[in-house]
PDB file of all heavy atoms in Angstrom:
ATOM      1  N   ASN A 771      60.468 186.531  -4.085  1.00  0.00           N
ATOM      2  CA  ASN A 771      60.715 185.303  -4.846  1.00  0.00           C
ATOM      3  C   ASN A 771      62.032 184.708  -4.357  1.00  0.00           C
ATOM      4  O   ASN A 771      63.062 185.392  -4.374  1.00  0.00           O
ATOM      5  CB  ASN A 771      60.830 185.595  -6.341  1.00  0.00           C
ATOM      6  CG  ASN A 771      59.528 186.074  -6.940  1.00  0.00           C
ATOM      7  OD1 ASN A 771      58.914 186.993  -6.412  1.00  0.00           O
ATOM      8  ND2 ASN A 771      59.118 185.488  -8.031  1.00  0.00           N
ATOM      9  N   ILE A 772      61.994 183.466  -3.952  1.00  0.00           N
ATOM     10  CA  ILE A 772      63.197 182.774  -3.485  1.00  0.00           C
ATOM     11  C   ILE A 772      63.455 181.638  -4.460  1.00  0.00           C
ATOM     12  O   ILE A 772      62.685 180.683  -4.542  1.00  0.00           O
ATOM     13  CB  ILE A 772      62.999 182.231  -2.055  1.00  0.00           C
ATOM     14  CG1 ILE A 772      62.561 183.366  -1.119  1.00  0.00           C
ATOM     15  CG2 ILE A 772      64.287 181.586  -1.548  1.00  0.00           C
ATOM     16  CD1 ILE A 772      62.033 182.887   0.223  1.00  0.00           C
ATOM     17  N   MET A 773      64.536 181.786  -5.201  1.00  0.00           N
ATOM     18  CA  MET A 773      64.788 180.863  -6.302  1.00  0.00           C
ATOM     19  C   MET A 773      65.537 179.608  -5.858  1.00  0.00           C
ATOM     20  O   MET A 773      66.480 179.695  -5.072  1.00  0.00           O
ATOM     21  CB  MET A 773      65.586 181.583  -7.400  1.00  0.00           C
ATOM     22  CG  MET A 773      64.735 182.386  -8.363  1.00  0.00           C
ATOM     23  SD  MET A 773      63.874 183.774  -7.604  1.00  0.00           S
ATOM     24  CE  MET A 773      65.209 184.956  -7.498  1.00  0.00           C
ATOM     25  N   ASP A 774      65.115 178.475  -6.410  1.00  0.00           N
ATOM     26  CA  ASP A 774      65.804 177.189  -6.206  1.00  0.00           C
ATOM     27  C   ASP A 774      66.111 176.958  -4.734  1.00  0.00           C
ATOM     28  O   ASP A 774      67.219 176.572  -4.363  1.00  0.00           O
ATOM     29  CB  ASP A 774      67.093 177.152  -7.044  1.00  0.00           C
ATOM     30  CG  ASP A 774      67.365 175.765  -7.604  1.00  0.00           C
ATOM     31  OD1 ASP A 774      66.587 174.837  -7.313  1.00  0.00           O
ATOM     32  OD2 ASP A 774      68.364 175.616  -8.324  1.00  0.00           O
ATOM     33  N   TYR A 775      65.097 177.170  -3.911  1.00  0.00           N
ATOM     34  CA  TYR A 775      65.262 177.169  -2.451  1.00  0.00           C
ATOM     35  C   TYR A 775      65.654 175.809  -1.883  1.00  0.00           C
ATOM     36  O   TYR A 775      66.198 175.716  -0.775  1.00  0.00           O
ATOM     37  CB  TYR A 775      63.957 177.630  -1.787  1.00  0.00           C
ATOM     38  CG  TYR A 775      62.850 176.608  -1.892  1.00  0.00           C
ATOM     39  CD1 TYR A 775      62.538 175.765  -0.834  1.00  0.00           C
ATOM     40  CD2 TYR A 775      62.141 176.453  -3.069  1.00  0.00           C
ATOM     41  CE1 TYR A 775      61.548 174.810  -0.947  1.00  0.00           C
ATOM     42  CE2 TYR A 775      61.149 175.498  -3.194  1.00  0.00           C
ATOM     43  CZ  TYR A 775      60.861 174.678  -2.130  1.00  0.00           C
ATOM     44  OH  TYR A 775      59.885 173.720  -2.249  1.00  0.00           O
ATOM     45  N   ALA A 776      65.340 174.734  -2.619  1.00  0.00           N
ATOM     46  CA  ALA A 776      65.604 173.391  -2.094  1.00  0.00           C
ATOM     47  C   ALA A 776      66.963 172.847  -2.525  1.00  0.00           C
ATOM     48  O   ALA A 776      67.346 171.739  -2.132  1.00  0.00           O
ATOM     49  CB  ALA A 776      64.493 172.430  -2.543  1.00  0.00           C
ATOM     50  N   ALA A 777      67.689 173.614  -3.330  1.00  0.00           N
ATOM     51  CA  ALA A 777      68.999 173.156  -3.788  1.00  0.00           C
ATOM     52  C   ALA A 777      69.974 173.072  -2.617  1.00  0.00           C
ATOM     53  O   ALA A 777      69.888 173.838  -1.656  1.00  0.00           O
ATOM     54  CB  ALA A 777      69.539 174.116  -4.850  1.00  0.00           C
ATOM     55  N   THR A 778      70.904 172.156  -2.713  1.00  0.00           N
ATOM     56  CA  THR A 778      71.914 172.015  -1.657  1.00  0.00           C
ATOM     57  C   THR A 778      73.321 172.279  -2.193  1.00  0.00           C
ATOM     58  O   THR A 778      74.305 171.987  -1.520  1.00  0.00           O
ATOM     59  CB  THR A 778      71.851 170.602  -1.045  1.00  0.00           C
ATOM     60  OG1 THR A 778      72.009 169.641  -2.088  1.00  0.00           O
ATOM     61  CG2 THR A 778      70.535 170.375  -0.338  1.00  0.00           C
ATOM     62  N   ASP A 779      73.391 172.828  -3.397  1.00  0.00           N
ATOM     63  CA  ASP A 779      74.701 173.060  -4.001  1.00  0.00           C
ATOM     64  C   ASP A 779      74.906 174.516  -4.421  1.00  0.00           C
ATOM     65  O   ASP A 779      75.781 174.816  -5.217  1.00  0.00           O
ATOM     66  CB  ASP A 779      74.900 172.141  -5.212  1.00  0.00           C
ATOM     67  CG  ASP A 779      73.827 172.336  -6.268  1.00  0.00           C
ATOM     68  OD1 ASP A 779      72.887 173.127  -6.019  1.00  0.00           O
ATOM     69  OD2 ASP A 779      73.922 171.703  -7.333  1.00  0.00           O
ATOM     70  N   LYS A 780      74.065 175.404  -3.887  1.00  0.00           N
ATOM     71  CA  LYS A 780      74.214 176.806  -4.295  1.00  0.00           C
ATOM     72  C   LYS A 780      73.708 177.744  -3.203  1.00  0.00           C
ATOM     73  O   LYS A 780      72.836 177.374  -2.400  1.00  0.00           O
ATOM     74  CB  LYS A 780      73.446 177.060  -5.587  1.00  0.00           C
ATOM     75  CG  LYS A 780      71.951 176.857  -5.489  1.00  0.00           C
ATOM     76  CD  LYS A 780      71.230 177.234  -6.783  1.00  0.00           C
ATOM     77  CE  LYS A 780      71.491 176.254  -7.898  1.00  0.00           C
ATOM     78  NZ  LYS A 780      70.603 176.476  -9.058  1.00  0.00           N
ATOM     79  N   HIS A 781      74.275 178.932  -3.208  1.00  0.00           N
ATOM     80  CA  HIS A 781      73.730 179.971  -2.343  1.00  0.00           C
ATOM     81  C   HIS A 781      72.334 180.346  -2.852  1.00  0.00           C
ATOM     82  O   HIS A 781      72.032 180.186  -4.028  1.00  0.00           O
ATOM     83  CB  HIS A 781      74.639 181.199  -2.352  1.00  0.00           C
ATOM     84  CG  HIS A 781      75.980 180.947  -1.713  1.00  0.00           C
ATOM     85  ND1 HIS A 781      76.952 181.917  -1.615  1.00  0.00           N
ATOM     86  CD2 HIS A 781      76.502 179.832  -1.132  1.00  0.00           C
ATOM     87  CE1 HIS A 781      78.016 181.415  -1.003  1.00  0.00           C
ATOM     88  NE2 HIS A 781      77.767 180.143  -0.707  1.00  0.00           N
ATOM     89  N   LYS A 782      71.513 180.882  -1.983  1.00  0.00           N
ATOM     90  CA  LYS A 782      70.125 181.168  -2.361  1.00  0.00           C
ATOM     91  C   LYS A 782      69.955 182.645  -2.722  1.00  0.00           C
ATOM     92  O   LYS A 782      70.408 183.526  -1.982  1.00  0.00           O
ATOM     93  CB  LYS A 782      69.177 180.810  -1.208  1.00  0.00           C
ATOM     94  CG  LYS A 782      69.309 179.360  -0.729  1.00  0.00           C
ATOM     95  CD  LYS A 782      69.124 178.363  -1.850  1.00  0.00           C
ATOM     96  CE  LYS A 782      69.273 176.933  -1.380  1.00  0.00           C
ATOM     97  NZ  LYS A 782      70.651 176.585  -0.926  1.00  0.00           N
ATOM     98  N   SER A 783      69.309 182.861  -3.844  1.00  0.00           N
ATOM     99  CA  SER A 783      69.032 184.213  -4.322  1.00  0.00           C
ATOM    100  C   SER A 783      67.566 184.547  -4.098  1.00  0.00           C
ATOM    101  O   SER A 783      66.703 183.675  -4.171  1.00  0.00           O
ATOM    102  CB  SER A 783      69.344 184.328  -5.815  1.00  0.00           C
ATOM    103  OG  SER A 783      70.696 184.033  -6.072  1.00  0.00           O
ATOM    104  N   PHE A 784      67.325 185.813  -3.833  1.00  0.00           N
ATOM    105  CA  PHE A 784      65.935 186.243  -3.687  1.00  0.00           C
ATOM    106  C   PHE A 784      65.761 187.633  -4.284  1.00  0.00           C
ATOM    107  O   PHE A 784      66.699 188.429  -4.361  1.00  0.00           O
ATOM    108  CB  PHE A 784      65.471 186.219  -2.222  1.00  0.00           C
ATOM    109  CG  PHE A 784      66.281 187.076  -1.298  1.00  0.00           C
ATOM    110  CD1 PHE A 784      65.903 188.380  -1.024  1.00  0.00           C
ATOM    111  CD2 PHE A 784      67.421 186.581  -0.686  1.00  0.00           C
ATOM    112  CE1 PHE A 784      66.640 189.182  -0.166  1.00  0.00           C
ATOM    113  CE2 PHE A 784      68.172 187.379   0.173  1.00  0.00           C
ATOM    114  CZ  PHE A 784      67.785 188.673   0.431  1.00  0.00           C
ATOM    115  N   LEU A 785      64.550 187.878  -4.748  1.00  0.00           N
ATOM    116  CA  LEU A 785      64.158 189.185  -5.278  1.00  0.00           C
ATOM    117  C   LEU A 785      62.934 189.636  -4.509  1.00  0.00           C
ATOM    118  O   LEU A 785      61.972 188.878  -4.382  1.00  0.00           O
ATOM    119  CB  LEU A 785      63.808 189.093  -6.772  1.00  0.00           C
ATOM    120  CG  LEU A 785      64.936 188.703  -7.727  1.00  0.00           C
ATOM    121  CD1 LEU A 785      64.368 188.466  -9.131  1.00  0.00           C
ATOM    122  CD2 LEU A 785      65.995 189.794  -7.772  1.00  0.00           C
TER     123      LEU A 785
END
Side-chain angles (χ1 to χ4, degrees):
Chain A
N771 294 51
I772 306 167
M773 276 65 78
D774 216 358
Y775 71 100
T778 56
D779 58 356
K780 63 175 71 169
H781 293 180
K782 304 305 179 294
S783 300
F784 58 93
L785 296 172

